[in-house]
Amino acid sequence: MPAERLTELPQRRWRESRWTTTWPLTARGWHTGVRRGPVVVLIHAGFVDSRQWDGLIPLLADDHTVFAPDRRGHGASEGYRHDHRLDTDIDDLVRLLELTSDPAGPAVLVAHSAAGHIALGAAVRSPLAGIVILYEPPAFGRPPVADDVWRQLDQATAAGDRRQLVAVLLNDVVGRSTGQRLPPPALDVLLASPFGRLLLDNALSIPTELRSYEAHQWNDDTLKQLTVPIRLLVGERSPPFNRMFADRLRGLAPNATIELLPGQDHGGPFSAPAVLAAKVRSIEASHE
């Protein structure tokens, strides 16, 4: 690996610093003025960016060193390169773990939705990944994106139509899996919310990101070799599709367990960060 380091930029708030690196990834980091506590790396869900963690970070930063990267193609990081693959996201996370490693022990990885597959890939490749906490990692490619949907996505990208990209994503990609669709009034409400604004900000990356997911498949033998503790969190109110991959992983990885979160759905990391923060702490305590 080339020599790389994190460059700390001036603080914007008393507990926040920003780090940049020499490869196309931007990571924000938080501490309390002196680096202390276990390292926690928060990997944001698909189609948004690290701002999804803005509610969770203050709940962890007092006794953790927290890093929240913008994945390639999202937020402040550089755009996707041609023919992007999820393996590149995994390599990026492994590099970040190397840059932020703590002699006291490996990092806790917290990943939402599709980012769970990136966290798992890092756990396969690096001993610097410790406890892996996954909030509803999806089953990729079930059902596959239909040809007519790809055409709609590509046309919306060419036109720079962010709203249409998000609408097709939610209704014709995610909606085909979960059985849930948003009529136009409900879509307008969603897009006016903080979560909706994140989707719009990152919308032009949707087709490339989806293709990287479609191309990624897990081999059962690889999942069986994952020996790190894996804690799978599933919302009680989520549709059955949202736990398909969690059930598969629990049946293969020797140290994987599933916990149902009462009253939560797929948006729990956005809508209930205190629930997730408490869960992170309880999981850490159970492995001390």
Side-chain angles (χ1 to χ4, degrees):
M1 174 182 136
E4 293 171 325
R5 64 188 179 89
L6 291 177
T7 302
E8 189 170 344
L9 303 180
Q11 290 188 333
R12 292 188 291 170
R13 297 198 301 268
W14 72 274
R15 71 168 65 248
E16 179 183 346
S17 296
R18 186 175 181 125
W19 286 267
T20 58
T21 63
T22 57
W23 86 96
L25 200 70
T26 296
R28 296 184 293 165
W30 286 260
H31 53 68
T32 53
V34 211
R35 180 167 171 171
R36 67 177 191 177
V39 171
V40 176
V41 180
L42 307 175
I43 309 107
H44 65 79
F47 320 114
V48 292
D49 58 49
S50 65
R51 289 174 292 170
Q52 86 152 82
W53 301 116
D54 284 355
L56 178 63
I57 288 164
L59 305 178
L60 296 176
D62 282 339
D63 53 358
H64 295 81
T65 300
V66 183
F67 291 94
D70 283 328
R71 290 162 46 195
R72 200 179 290 235
H74 301 77
S77 291
E78 288 189 12
Y80 285 128
R81 295 176 181 174
H82 177 68
D83 201 26
H84 178 77
R85 291 292 181 265
L86 203 71
D87 279 347
T88 304
D89 291 309
I90 294 170
D91 288 342
D92 286 343
L93 179 54
V94 170
R95 287 188 179 186
L96 183 63
L97 292 174
E98 292 168 348
L99 291 168
T100 60
S101 62
D102 188 334
V108 176
L109 305 185
V110 180
H112 182 206
S113 194
H117 296 274
I118 299 170
L120 284 177
V124 169
R125 299 180 188 182
S126 174
L128 298 174
I131 302 168
V132 179
I133 302 172
L134 308 181
Y135 196 109
E136 295 194 357
F140 285 160
R142 295 187 179 182
V145 178
D147 289 343
D148 66 308
V149 175
W150 282 124
R151 284 193 292 272
Q152 292 180 64
L153 289 168
D154 290 339
Q155 289 167 3
T157 302
D161 191 339
R162 294 172 183 264
R163 188 186 189 283
Q164 178 65 4
L165 280 163
V166 174
V168 173
L169 170 71
L170 296 180
N171 286 329
D172 299 304
V173 180
V174 177
R176 287 188 68 208
S177 300
T178 63
Q180 299 174 342
R181 294 179 61 87
L182 289 174
L187 179 64
D188 290 339
V189 171
L190 174 67
L191 294 181
S193 71
F195 172 63
R197 289 193 290 273
L198 288 183
L199 288 171
L200 289 171
D201 286 349
N202 294 278
L204 296 181
S205 292
I206 286 172
T208 301
E209 185 172 356
L210 280 174
R211 288 186 170 96
S212 75
Y213 296 158
E214 289 255 296
H216 190 83
Q217 297 295 329
W218 281 105
N219 180 288
D220 283 359
D221 289 338
T222 301
L223 296 178
K224 289 176 182 177
Q225 294 167 12
L226 279 166
T227 58
V228 297
I230 301 170
R231 300 296 171 256
L232 297 150
L233 306 179
V234 176
E236 177 188 41
R237 296 170 53 200
S238 294
F241 171 82
N242 287 28
R243 65 174 291 160
M244 283 177 57
F245 183 78
D247 285 334
R248 177 187 174 199
L249 185 57
R250 180 182 58 176
L252 294 170
N255 291 322
T257 61
I258 294 180
E259 182 172 350
L260 198 65
L261 299 182
Q264 299 303 313
D265 57 19
H266 193 65
F270 291 93
S271 60
V275 172
L276 183 54
K279 190 54 58 182
V280 169
R281 292 182 188 281
S282 68
I283 292 170
E284 286 181 306
S286 70
H287 290 279
E288 289 180 349

